Amino acid sequence: MQRRNYIVIASCIFFIVAIFFLNKKFPPDPIHKVPYFSYTDQNNKIFTTNDLLGKITIADFFFTGCPVTCPRMKAYMNQIHEFYDMNPGVQFLSISVDPKNDTQSVINNFIRERGLSYSNWFFLQSDEESIVSLLEDGFLLSGEGLPGMHSTKFILIDSNAQILGYYEYSSKEDFNNLISDTTYLLNRL
């Protein structure tokens, strides 16, 4: 009788553990490796694809003259930044899609006005041809109609510079999934 009880208990434990692992959400498989790029950040330092290695990166595209969407995206990105409270394993990347207007000075004013001056948040700029190429070939997003028609997705990049997912900034479900997936990756660094 005792042996049968042990078998029943062991079976129950096995099924509970199996259900836990089957219901556990894991980040998706890598979608695409980010190709090499080299852009200038807000501090006039060079930021390259190599700076993505060894860290979890949350990226987006923006332009400082954007009247509604970009400020909202930055507010959500700032919430994510505050959630991780300067965790050294995560960094943030915002790439300007308006090189004609987003000079280093304009970007730095944008950062100051919105209180986004953090050592692990990089605002990058480059020439239009390079940005379109990075959008289309690197991030698999549209480069048409810039600056106004840029992507409104946050992009999760793993510590091997591979894109793991796209998350719509205005979707609460996507926002929660981004936090969950980022935390999962950080716990495995």
Side-chain angles (χ1 to χ4, degrees):
M1 188 71 168
Q2 269 188 333
R3 180 182 160 137
R4 195 173 110 177
N5 287 344
Y6 286 127
I7 292 172
V8 169
I9 291 171
S11 296
C12 288
I13 291 172
F14 172 79
F15 285 116
I16 290 170
V17 170
I19 288 170
F20 172 78
F21 279 105
L22 289 174
N23 288 327
K24 179 75 176 133
K25 183 185 179 316
F26 295 101
D29 291 331
I31 296 168
H32 186 70
K33 181 117 173 127
V34 177
Y36 185 80
F37 69 86
S38 178
Y39 292 170
T40 304
D41 76 7
Q42 72 269 28
N43 298 312
N44 204 32
K45 295 183 179 171
I46 300 299
F47 188 102
T48 73
T49 310
N50 294 334
D51 293 305
L52 300 174
L53 300 175
K55 293 187 181 282
I56 307 307
T57 304
I58 301 171
D60 72 349
F61 292 87
F62 82 109
F63 66 106
T64 61
C66 177
V68 178
T69 304
C70 297
R72 287 181 184 161
M73 288 179 71
K74 292 296 160 270
Y76 283 114
M77 184 85 94
N78 198 32
Q79 286 179 20
I80 299 167
H81 187 275
E82 289 174 2
F83 181 82
Y84 290 107
D85 195 30
M86 299 298 290
N87 183 315
V90 67
Q91 64 185 354
F92 299 84
L93 192 64
S94 293
I95 303 170
S96 171
V97 295
D98 188 8
K100 292 176 185 156
N101 296 304
D102 286 349
T103 64
Q104 185 177 350
S105 171
V106 169
I107 288 174
N108 276 312
N109 284 338
F110 180 86
I111 293 167
R112 266 191 301 282
E113 288 170 2
R114 287 164 179 74
L116 305 175
S117 184
Y118 302 106
S119 63
N120 65 339
W121 194 337
F122 303 93
F123 288 79
L124 306 184
Q125 61 186 115
S126 186
D127 62 272
E128 186 173 354
E129 184 179 325
S130 177
I131 292 166
V132 169
S133 176
L134 184 65
L135 271 164
E136 294 178 347
D137 303 328
F139 285 88
L140 307 178
L141 298 167
S142 174
E144 296 287 320
L146 297 179
M149 298 299 293
H150 68 86
S151 169
T152 59
K153 297 187 183 302
F154 294 132
I155 302 113
L156 180 61
I157 304 167
D158 71 10
S159 59
N160 295 312
Q162 298 178 108
I163 296 171
L164 293 184
Y166 300 93
Y167 306 80
E168 185 60 45
Y169 88 94
S170 59
S171 164
K172 185 158 182 68
E173 181 181 352
D174 277 7
F175 186 84
N176 291 336
N177 287 339
L178 175 57
I179 296 288
S180 174
D181 292 349
T182 302
T183 301
Y184 176 86
L185 293 170
L186 283 169
N187 288 333
R188 278 140 189 85
L189 271 183

